[in-house]
Amino acid sequence: AINNIVIGGQNLFENSANIAVDNTTNEHGYFASIEHVMDKLEVGDEITISFDVKQLDGGGNGQFIQCYASNRRNTKSFPAKAFYNIGTAWKRLSFTTTVISATPTGAANTWIEFYSLYHTADYWHVKNLKIERGNQATDWSAAPEDIQEKIEAAAQAKADLAEVQAK
């Protein structure tokens, strides 16, 4: 680390290219399970969470969104982070936090969640979630597991094509 800057770069959140949430009728949304991410982390790890967001001009004031872990069955979590003055254009937001010990509150998966103030009509879209080790956000990238899946799918497609052509 130079000047205490730690860059992880690797997205720990798998399948992020295929998950987006468009909340057009509710100020609260469950984005996705992060159990697989929390399994890769230890209490005390410093992580950076980044995502693209815009709020709709649906009658709300576009001023607030909060991100947090729902912490249901996991023994690890992270504190909530609020963002203000979101606006209606896409923007990339990020925050750095530390994984903390938590007491499970139920049997369901722990989710990363986003919400604005209830009863404000501050509806929003979120996409391109990235959770990475370190304290500097880097550009969105797919998780290594996602890239490996694409490589394997391409190899299978090539093998299938070769088999068809051989007949």
Side-chain angles (χ1 to χ4, degrees):
I2 299 174
N3 295 328
N4 295 321
I5 296 174
V6 179
I7 299 173
Q10 178 179 322
N11 194 349
L12 302 174
F13 183 73
E14 298 169 26
N15 201 30
S16 61
N18 298 318
I19 299 175
V21 174
D22 295 324
N23 266 26
T24 57
T25 59
N26 188 343
E27 295 91 354
H28 181 257
Y30 297 95
F31 191 78
S33 172
I34 56 171
E35 286 293 326
H36 68 282
V37 175
M38 300 312 269
D39 290 344
K40 299 173 188 176
L41 298 169
E42 300 296 329
V43 171
D45 284 352
E46 189 172 45
I47 58 172
T48 297
I49 299 170
S50 56
F51 52 92
D52 294 331
V53 63
K54 72 175 181 176
Q55 289 191 294
L56 303 180
D57 189 17
N61 58 22
Q63 297 298 311
F64 174 84
I65 194 167
Q66 185 163 328
C67 174
Y68 67 100
S70 64
N71 188 44
R72 292 194 174 82
R73 71 174 179 182
N74 211 293
T75 59
K76 295 171 274 191
S77 189
F78 60 84
K81 172 67 177 175
F83 296 91
Y84 300 90
N85 301 315
I86 304 304
T88 57
W90 283 108
K91 63 171 61 174
R92 186 107 182 127
L93 298 178
S94 67
F95 66 102
T96 298
T97 189
T98 301
V99 176
I100 58 173
S101 179
T103 302
T105 61
N109 283 346
T110 295
W111 289 66
I112 189 163
E113 300 184 28
F114 295 89
Y115 72 89
S116 53
L117 297 175
Y118 288 107
H119 312 295
T120 62
D122 272 346
Y123 307 133
W124 44 263
H125 299 297
V126 172
K127 64 182 183 179
N128 295 331
L129 177 67
K130 185 171 187 177
I131 302 174
E132 59 190 306
R133 286 184 174 86
N135 57 20
Q136 293 294 305
T138 59
D139 291 343
W140 178 87
S141 60
E145 296 86 350
D146 298 335
I147 295 167
Q148 186 60 39
E149 279 182 22
K150 287 184 179 187
I151 291 169
E152 290 169 5
Q156 185 61 52
K158 182 178 177 183
D160 293 347
L161 178 61
E163 183 178 328
V164 168
Q165 289 175 336
K167 291 183 180 181

